[in-house]
Amino acid sequence: MIEKADQIFVLLGHWLVSFLPVWLQPAAMVLLGVLAIIVTFPALFAITVLLERKGLGRMQNRYGPNRVGPFGIFQPVADGIKSLTKEDIVPTSADGVVHFLAPVFLVVVVFMGYAVLPMGRNMTLVSMDAGLLFFFAIGASTELSVFMAGWSSRNKYSLLGAMRAVAQMISYEVPLLLSSLTIVMMTGSLSLGKIVEAQNQYTWGLPHWYIFTPWGFAGFLLYAVATTAESNRSPFDLPEGESELVAGYFTEYSGFKFALFFLGEYVGMMSISGLGTTLFLGGWSAPLQILGWVPSWCWFFGKVMMSMCVFIWMRGTLPRLRQDQLMNFAWKFVLPLTLVNLMVAATWRFLGAGWERWVICSAILILVYTLMGRSGMRRGHIGPRSYRYAE
Amino acid sequence: MSIVFFAIAGLSVAGALAAVALKNTVHCALALTVAFAGLALLFLELDAQFAGFAQILVYIGAVAILVVFAILLTRGSETPKDGIYSTKWLLGLVTASGIFAVLAWAVLHSTWALPGPEGAPTAAPAVTVMDIGNALMGRYVLPLEIVALLLTSALIGAVIVAMHEKESAQ
Amino acid sequence: MAVAENKTEKPEGWNRPPVMKPDGEGELLEVAMGPHHPSTHGVFRMDVALDGERVIRLKPVFGYLHRNHEKIAEGINYLGSMPFTDRLDYMCPLTNNWAYALAVEKLTGQAVPERAEYLRVILGELTRIVNHASSIGFLIQEMGASGTPLMYAFKEREKILDLFEELTGARMMCNYMRFGGCRVDATPAWLDAVRKVLAGLPRFADEFENLLRGNEILMARTQGVGILRPELAVNAGVTGPMLRASGINYDIRKVDGYGLYNRFKFRVPLGEHWDVYDRFMIRLLEMRESFGILEQALKDIPGGPVMDSKAKLRGFRPKPGEAYGRIEAPKGELGFYLISDGGPNPYRYRIRPPSLINLTVLEDMCLGNNVADVVLIFGSVDIVLGEVDR
Amino acid sequence: MLGEGILKGLGETARNFVGSYVSAERLTTIQYPEERIAPIEATRDFPFLVYDGADWEAGLRCVACQICEKECPPKCIYIVKSTDKKPDALGKLQIYPVRFDIDISVCMSCQICVEVCPFEAIKMDTQFELSTTDRFGGLLYDRKELAKSNEYYHSIHPIEAKKVDAHLAEEKMKADAKAGAAAAAAAAKAAAAPVVAKPAVPATPAAAPAGATQRAEGEKQG
């Protein structure tokens, strides 16, 4: 029974394709998987948008949307209908073809990332040897669509937004890759399935997730920073910083094309959270051994949605950085730290089992973090201040 | 298989031609990306996953972006009013045909790694990322290091050039 | 024809693309931020010339909200302008009322009963809290904090606006003060309500500080940005929290001691780094000082009338002469300059709006900064377009 | 330092998030069409004309003195005086407004008309849901639309209305006493010199404006 619940989607898929002739079955299975992804993640996107609007509202001591349906749960539907019925405006001087292609390209590319994510036991669409590389290769292509959108709009805000976005995404791709590299180093594989399998072990009922190691924890934080920047979320949402650039690279988009950008952004966030889950949070494995009976896909989606909540939480709290600070942060702080983390991971490996490696690795990381943070703040003349009063 | 190959090849060639022939420089850069993507697909079609993804990651994710960045920063994105063809097209033609000749010669005279056209490609050994890593760190470690050194020096050089400009600006 | 004239009046090199860099190499990117830009607090335009994202030139363009207030005021009698003053700085109508009432009282030599003065102080300080809280909220909003601090500020503002409505009948367009006192008296229940709201305010300020004060991103964004040197601030006539953030101890509440400010104990926080962070912090600290003033005022408020028995509502004709009434409005020195020719209307009516005058240093603060900082610096000036354009 | 402030901020938003579910004080939103705030005594929106008695036209307190028209800062009041006189609610002969229009799209709810009115005839309404599809004609209220009963006034501003009523009653008593005195004087005069009995009638309306200015003074101080 438990086994069945765990594999319900796989079994369902097999049952469905069993109606087809044998030679069609593999292709049909893949198509079915694609279909499932294309249906599931926009649905999750709708839920996330609702969660974001309600959650932000609650953080700001207001209700959030609560008019469409009970507790406002049909708000995403209303939003969807609105964006579908809105006029699609293309600026006269815009480059029509590129303007049209940009959102389409973004959404296609973003969905491709899901192909390699293991969303549950035996629930990977394509088990690829170089799955991680595929994911990053696909992720890198989104920059192109951002550029296309910004450039083709022929709007200064759009162009500035696109330039910012592309610069930011390129800069943060390096720490993103390097922080994931620690995992590859420890697992010895680029295959996401194998990475999850390596974490799906338990000692005293506790999982072997990589986040529960010093280097894994540091790597996770760095990865989180890099993903936030990569998906243009607050506090790194400069490309669409509405107070400066109106809406950044999609200023000149309206109607459904705008909705596609919106979808692309959120689906991209989810896919990159899914990767983070896979790499650091044990993918579909249960957080405690005794919870192993819960279907694996529940854990995966639960963890992804949790990371989305953290994204929302950060958005509700933090102001955004400035472009040069963002770059400095990437190249002078995050990148060196990822390199140090890489070395720490290597040290961990060579120190062998024992408590010493915990102490040494944590000490190195904390020391480096403190030193770099302090010096960075001193260099920028940043720090808390006290004030004098005139009587 | 051949249909797939021709489709991909057609895509790449079309992209490359467009990159040369289009008027708007940004369009050219985007067409170049299509050509890159075609190449990546060719690699993938040959079961060279690593090379294919690396092609996408590096060429589409970085090089293409670099190209568009350069175009934007140098105001090249404006469509030229007069023709796009250089007056020295003859020289270009000669160079291009020379390069083509060399490449053709190299391709024709190299030995086939795979069985001949009549043999099925299933005989190709599955090259994993691990194998590539081992090869790079073992047999090809010297070339790798030389390339790394070259890139590092290029990076430092770029930084120095940028810094110099900044100092003179102040 | 007027359009043609305007065209010839455009400054040299302006509005004529492409604008070249000062060294002649390459050209600048011109961006018109506003009047429909999300962060211009209404209809305001900044013509910004950018080198990359660095500001080379910035020209504030305002007047989109010009309502001819000063000229209208010269055409109607003294009382008739009072409701219009609400609409100057619509975030703090009561201080506008106060400044105008003060000017007319000076012109006519009208005395104000003590209770009315206390009420004015209470309302003025409540207004200051409202203004400072929301201006900080707007500032952080412009930094992209998706409105959380703004919402917290607005939650408190709502409570204070409820108090205003209970007393004056309107939340924003209060039209409460009269020449020689206040329109209606505050009931003891109202004063209790103020005490209750005041009791909750320090907690709000704590929350606000928790959320913002130590935030590294905020510090990185605001420290060392938009420096306004004290000399420039003085020369440009900048007043209010802006001036005090530039380290100059000038608070009209202390200098003039108008109202009954001499009776209250409060301190004036001063900035030492002259940047956006200082302006933000000065506002936060001034808010806390206001709590103290309110406490004292609520404790000591005497009984008695709120209108002077000799005060006239309408139909009075001040002797020929002039008067300048100024107060420390939340945004700076708000002054009303009146000339009377003995008629029922002012002969000349002129406002010294702190928003406009503080705005004059915008370009000096912005030059060389990133375009993202322009928004921030602009937010730290804390303007309301109703007052800038009048 | 080093992210501590960010964590503190995150803690603050988390506290507000949870707090908005558990404490009503944090979630102060009033969901307008369904929920409404309790009426506030001092609230003012747009002016209306008070009438006494049952018939609005006969009971209007307004005597078309046009002070409000003159004082209105945005000049949104338009009054046409009657040429004849009609008895008001008290049965006194008064000039009345033939037209009394307020363009509430121009009105800025400043209450100055209320303050300057010597007859307590114009007061502020609390009705604010006045939207109409006809933005010109629909927002130009004539005296019929503006007329509201004194009972209605009591229902929206109970404390203020009570004061006004007391004030009016006092004024009426004074006026009655005066009129009585005048009548007595006139009667005495008439007794003394029966030839000049006529001027007693016009003396009463003349007394009203005099009382009115006094009342205006009282209003200012109160």
Side-chain angles (χ1 to χ4, degrees):
Chain A
M1 187 60 215
I2 290 167
E3 195 65 21
K4 281 239 176 82
D6 188 22
Q7 294 298 308
I8 183 159
F9 295 117
V10 182
L11 294 176
L12 199 68
H14 280 301
W15 178 71
L16 277 177
V17 292
S18 66
F19 292 105
L20 294 169
V22 180
W23 61 272
L24 257 177
Q25 279 183 7
M29 198 68 191
V30 169
L31 273 181
L32 213 58
V34 170
L35 200 68
I37 286 173
I38 288 178
V39 171
T40 312
F41 285 93
L44 279 181
F45 155 69
I47 293 171
T48 314
V49 170
L50 188 65
L51 265 184
E52 168 150 33
R53 294 182 61 180
K54 299 252 336 158
L56 273 183
R58 287 292 174 165
M59 273 177 221
Q60 298 171 357
N61 294 333
R62 51 186 181 84
Y63 282 100
N66 64 353
R67 291 293 155 134
V68 191
F71 302 105
I73 51 169
F74 296 130
Q75 187 66 41
V77 181
D79 287 347
I81 292 171
K82 186 194 83 172
S83 64
L84 271 172
T85 50
K86 267 178 110 171
E87 188 187 355
D88 173 32
I89 300 168
V90 181
T92 334
S93 59
D95 195 310
V97 179
V98 183
H99 192 262
F100 170 77
L101 278 180
V104 178
F105 184 70
L106 177 74
V107 169
V108 167
V109 161
V110 154
F111 271 110
M112 275 167 80
Y114 287 103
V116 289
L117 286 184
M119 298 175 208
R121 202 174 270 119
N122 305 329
M123 276 169 68
T124 315
L125 190 59
V126 189
S127 300
M128 227 180 261
D129 185 31
L132 192 63
L133 195 66
F134 171 80
F135 192 93
F136 285 130
I138 289 302
S141 321
T142 53
E143 289 154 22
L144 207 64
S145 110
V146 166
F147 168 77
M148 281 157 72
W151 175 78
S152 66
S153 298
R154 289 288 164 97
N155 176 319
K156 284 169 187 172
Y157 291 124
S158 298
L159 193 61
L160 274 179
M163 298 276 272
R164 280 181 176 192
V166 172
Q168 170 177 340
M169 286 163 118
I170 288 188
S171 305
Y172 278 90
E173 213 151 78
V174 182
L176 188 70
L177 273 163
L178 284 178
S179 60
S180 319
L181 211 58
T182 46
I183 307 293
V184 177
M185 229 165 81
M186 301 310 272
T187 321
S189 170
L190 279 171
S191 157
L192 294 174
K194 277 185 192 152
I195 290 173
V196 176
E197 284 298 342
Q199 296 178 77
N200 192 19
Q201 305 164 25
Y202 297 89
T203 317
W204 309 324
L206 294 173
H208 279 212
W209 295 359
Y210 288 134
I211 192 177
F212 298 130
T213 57
W215 55 269
F217 185 68
F220 177 69
L221 290 185
L222 293 166
Y223 179 86
V225 168
T227 39
T228 318
E230 195 76 354
S231 47
N232 300 335
R233 286 288 292 189
S234 171
F236 303 107
D237 57 346
L238 295 102
E240 54 206 75
E242 82 284 343
S243 59
E244 302 140 28
L245 295 182
V246 188
Y249 52 87
F250 49 79
T251 304
E252 293 289 0
Y253 281 88
S254 68
F256 202 64
K257 284 188 203 158
F258 179 82
L260 281 183
F261 268 110
F262 208 50
L263 176 82
E265 185 188 330
Y266 277 79
V267 172
M269 260 159 73
M270 272 186 269
S271 82
I272 214 153
S273 309
L275 185 70
T277 303
T278 306
L279 291 180
F280 297 95
L281 302 177
W284 43 260
S285 68
L288 291 171
Q289 196 162 21
I290 48 166
L291 290 175
W293 54 273
V294 179
S296 55
W297 45 271
C298 285
W299 292 118
F300 178 81
F301 286 107
K303 286 171 192 174
V304 169
M305 289 316 274
M306 280 301 288
S307 2
M308 299 304 284
C309 290
V310 174
F311 273 125
I312 294 167
W313 187 13
M314 288 205 291
R315 181 171 169 203
T317 310
L318 301 178
R320 75 172 72 88
L321 282 164
R322 204 173 56 213
Q323 188 69 20
D324 55 327
Q325 289 166 342
L326 185 92
M327 290 294 160
N328 280 345
F329 189 63
W331 294 104
K332 293 187 184 165
F333 190 77
V334 179
L335 184 61
L337 270 184
T338 47
L339 289 173
V340 169
N341 194 35
L342 214 57
M343 302 219 201
V344 167
T347 319
W348 173 275
R349 183 143 193 182
F350 286 109
L351 281 176
W355 59 270
E356 297 95 339
R357 64 177 186 177
W358 284 84
V359 177
I360 294 171
C361 290
S362 315
I364 296 175
L365 283 170
I366 292 171
L367 190 76
V368 172
Y369 173 71
T370 320
L371 282 180
M372 285 186 56
R374 282 272 153 85
S375 76
M377 285 200 138
R378 208 170 312 124
R379 214 182 313 121
H381 304 288
I382 289 161
R385 293 177 185 170
S386 59
Y387 285 83
R388 70 192 166 93
Y389 290 90
E391 277 302 326
Chain B
M1 179 230 153
S2 59
I3 298 171
V4 177
F5 170 77
F6 281 116
I8 296 171
L11 184 76
S12 319
V13 172
L17 279 179
V20 180
L22 283 178
K23 226 173 178 185
N24 190 319
T25 334
V26 174
H27 286 170
C28 297
L30 293 176
L32 187 66
T33 320
V34 174
F36 285 151
L39 279 185
L41 286 176
L42 273 181
F43 280 127
L44 289 180
E45 210 236 334
L46 292 172
D47 260 353
Q49 274 188 9
F50 187 83
F53 296 146
Q55 168 85 14
I56 296 178
L57 187 64
V58 174
Y59 280 88
I60 298 181
V63 173
I65 296 293
L66 199 71
V67 169
V68 274
F69 242 71
I71 291 171
L72 283 186
L73 289 178
T74 53
R75 293 189 59 83
S77 55
E78 285 166 4
T79 315
K81 290 201 175 55
D82 41 346
I84 52 162
Y85 298 105
S86 167
T87 45
K88 294 173 186 151
W89 59 274
L90 196 66
L91 194 67
L93 190 68
V94 170
T95 318
S97 34
I99 289 175
F100 183 77
V102 172
L103 282 178
W105 180 83
V107 169
L108 288 175
H109 284 77
S110 59
T111 48
W112 291 96
L114 300 178
E118 69 281 355
T122 43
V127 181
T128 62
V129 182
M130 185 87 85
D131 297 334
I132 297 173
N134 282 335
L136 280 179
M137 280 297 148
R139 199 177 146 199
Y140 297 107
V141 71
L142 194 65
L144 182 76
E145 287 303 315
I146 290 172
V147 169
L149 208 65
L150 184 74
L151 287 179
T152 312
S153 58
L155 192 70
I156 293 171
V159 168
I160 286 173
V161 169
M163 272 170 82
H164 181 69
E165 194 177 315
K166 202 177 165 190
E167 270 166 22
S168 67
Q170 287 170 356
Chain C
M1 209 168 79
V3 176
E5 269 172 26
N6 271 347
K7 248 183 192 166
T8 52
E9 272 171 27
K10 280 250 161 74
E12 188 70 16
W14 195 260
N15 213 13
R16 230 177 287 154
V19 179
M20 304 305 285
K21 280 186 193 173
D23 57 2
E25 286 175 39
E27 69 182 64
L28 299 171
L29 179 66
E30 272 190 290
V31 183
M33 292 178 84
H36 298 296
H37 192 272
S39 63
T40 49
H41 296 231
V43 278
F44 177 71
R45 196 171 99 219
M46 288 178 277
D47 281 337
V48 189
L50 301 174
D51 176 8
E53 290 212 15
R54 212 157 56 90
V55 178
I56 299 294
R57 187 162 37 183
L58 184 146
K59 191 185 164 213
V61 183
F62 41 79
Y64 292 95
L65 207 60
H66 183 62
R67 309 181 297 289
N68 216 358
H69 170 49
E70 291 178 356
K71 197 67 199 168
I72 288 175
E74 286 161 19
I76 53 180
N77 63 17
Y78 288 92
L79 175 66
S81 301
M82 186 56 92
F84 286 121
T85 60
D86 289 332
R87 285 141 177 94
L88 284 177
D89 175 359
Y90 40 78
M91 293 302 275
C92 15
L94 284 157
T95 47
N96 301 342
N97 281 185
W98 192 355
Y100 179 53
L102 202 68
V104 177
E105 280 154 12
K106 273 192 175 173
L107 192 67
T108 55
Q110 177 69 53
V112 181
E114 206 180 351
R115 186 175 171 84
E117 290 280 26
Y118 268 91
L119 277 177
R120 286 181 178 186
V121 168
I122 291 171
L123 291 169
E125 293 308 315
L126 284 174
T127 305
R128 194 178 312 281
I129 292 165
V130 166
N131 181 71
H132 283 0
S134 11
S135 94
I136 294 171
F138 280 122
L139 177 66
I140 313 296
Q141 161 95 333
E142 261 143 27
M143 241 181 273
S146 64
T148 308
L150 185 66
M151 283 296 160
Y152 293 173
F154 268 37
K155 197 181 69 189
E156 293 318 297
R157 176 174 179 260
E158 208 62 14
K159 291 176 189 161
I160 295 174
L161 289 189
D162 282 347
L163 291 177
F164 287 173
E165 183 174 5
E166 224 168 286
L167 181 65
T168 71
R171 302 164 69 78
M172 286 170 82
M173 302 300 135
C174 298
N175 183 22
Y176 177 64
M177 301 196 186
R178 290 288 175 264
F179 321 122
C182 301
R183 184 155 54 77
V184 287
D185 194 3
T187 58
W190 186 81
L191 289 174
D192 282 340
V194 177
R195 282 185 193 106
K196 212 177 131 211
V197 169
L198 180 63
L201 283 174
R203 205 189 88 180
F204 154 71
D206 290 342
E207 274 189 14
F208 223 52
E209 274 197 30
N210 255 345
L211 181 65
L212 302 172
R213 189 173 180 171
N215 192 314
E216 281 82 1
I217 298 178
L218 188 136
M219 285 200 261
R221 275 305 296 277
T222 53
Q223 294 192 348
V225 167
I227 289 177
L228 175 62
R229 306 204 145 270
E231 312 89 70
L232 177 65
V234 171
N235 287 342
V238 171
T239 45
M242 286 260 295
L243 182 67
R244 293 192 283 279
S246 287
I248 295 194
N249 178 17
Y250 182 77
D251 187 326
I252 298 170
R253 290 177 293 176
K254 292 272 186 199
V255 176
D256 276 13
Y258 67 95
L260 293 170
Y261 274 115
N262 288 333
R263 292 196 192 173
F264 302 112
K265 264 182 73 95
F266 63 98
R267 301 175 298 170
V268 179
L270 296 177
E272 285 169 9
H273 301 266
W274 320 330
D275 53 13
V276 174
Y277 188 78
D278 270 4
R279 273 167 234 148
F280 150 72
M281 278 308 291
I282 296 293
R283 292 207 170 94
L284 209 57
L285 297 174
E286 273 187 13
M287 222 156 77
R288 287 190 181 272
E289 293 303 314
S290 288
F291 300 162
I293 300 177
L294 276 173
E295 255 164 37
Q296 296 168 44
L298 285 169
K299 206 177 75 199
D300 301 339
I301 183 164
V306 291
M307 269 303 262
D308 192 56
S309 54
K310 272 179 263 155
K312 275 189 174 172
L313 186 65
R314 53 180 281 267
F316 58 89
R317 290 162 182 262
K319 280 189 213 98
E322 54 177 50
Y324 179 62
R326 60 173 190 171
I327 64 159
E328 178 72 28
K331 293 182 167 67
E333 176 183 338
L334 174 65
F336 281 80
Y337 176 64
L338 300 169
I339 300 180
S340 165
D341 58 355
N345 308 339
Y347 172 73
R348 178 79 173 99
Y349 173 102
R350 157 89 188 143
I351 304 163
R352 183 213 185 273
S355 295
L356 173 66
I357 292 173
N358 291 353
L359 200 59
T360 52
V361 287
L362 184 64
E363 183 176 13
D364 299 275
M365 290 194 287
C366 288
L367 286 189
N369 274 309
N370 197 299
V371 65
D373 288 335
V374 169
V375 171
L376 207 58
I377 295 167
F378 178 65
S380 78
V381 179
D382 182 20
I383 65 156
V384 161
L385 262 297
E387 194 177 54
V388 173
D389 294 343
R390 305 190 301 292
Chain D
M1 280 289 85
L2 305 178
E4 192 190 300
I6 290 175
L7 290 179
K8 228 169 156 185
L10 285 171
E12 195 58 56
T13 39
R15 200 162 72 195
N16 274 287
F17 178 77
V18 178
S20 71
Y21 282 100
V22 294
S23 126
E25 199 220 328
R26 283 202 192 271
L27 199 63
T28 50
T29 314
I30 288 168
Q31 304 197 53
Y32 159 59
E34 294 92 23
E35 299 171 15
R36 276 154 196 276
I37 48 169
I40 296 174
E41 164 83 30
T43 308
R44 57 170 203 256
D45 281 295
F46 294 105
F48 69 95
L49 296 173
V50 190
Y51 67 86
D52 296 308
D55 180 14
W56 70 267
E57 205 170 354
L60 277 184
R61 289 178 186 170
C62 178
V63 298
C65 67
Q66 293 180 313
I67 293 177
C68 53
E69 187 185 22
K70 200 171 141 227
E71 290 291 327
C72 176
K75 305 280 181 247
C76 67
I77 304 178
Y78 176 67
I79 302 174
V80 175
K81 262 187 182 174
S82 65
T83 48
D84 58 332
K85 289 183 181 180
K86 273 189 188 171
D88 64 358
L90 303 173
K92 216 183 285 172
L93 279 180
Q94 292 280 27
I95 294 173
Y96 61 94
V98 181
R99 280 189 70 180
F100 194 112
D101 294 348
I102 296 183
D103 188 345
I104 60 161
S105 66
V106 173
C107 173
M108 58 182 193
S109 312
C110 64
Q111 207 178 4
I112 281 182
C113 51
V114 176
E115 282 170 63
V116 298
C117 181
F119 301 98
E120 310 278 10
I122 189 164
K123 292 290 167 197
M124 296 307 277
D125 204 346
T126 51
Q127 184 65 34
F128 55 89
E129 288 152 316
L130 305 167
S131 45
T132 163
T133 45
D134 176 11
R135 64 185 169 138
F136 300 113
L139 292 173
L140 181 67
Y141 281 19
D142 62 13
R143 59 189 186 133
K144 182 163 192 261
E145 285 161 300
L146 289 169
K148 304 263 171 77
S149 69
N150 194 23
E151 286 72 48
Y152 175 77
Y153 179 41
H154 272 274
S155 72
I156 55 173
H157 300 300
I159 301 170
E160 190 190 308
K162 246 177 232 156
K163 267 191 206 159
V164 167
D165 273 8
H167 183 228
L168 282 177
E170 193 188 316
E171 289 294 321
K172 197 184 166 240
M173 255 168 64
K174 263 193 215 162
D176 282 355
K178 228 180 199 174
K189 259 187 187 172
V195 195
V196 272
K198 280 267 175 191
V201 182
T204 2
T213 34
Q214 269 178 14
R215 256 176 293 173
E217 297 285 331
E219 164 83 13
K220 267 183 291 173
Q221 286 155 25

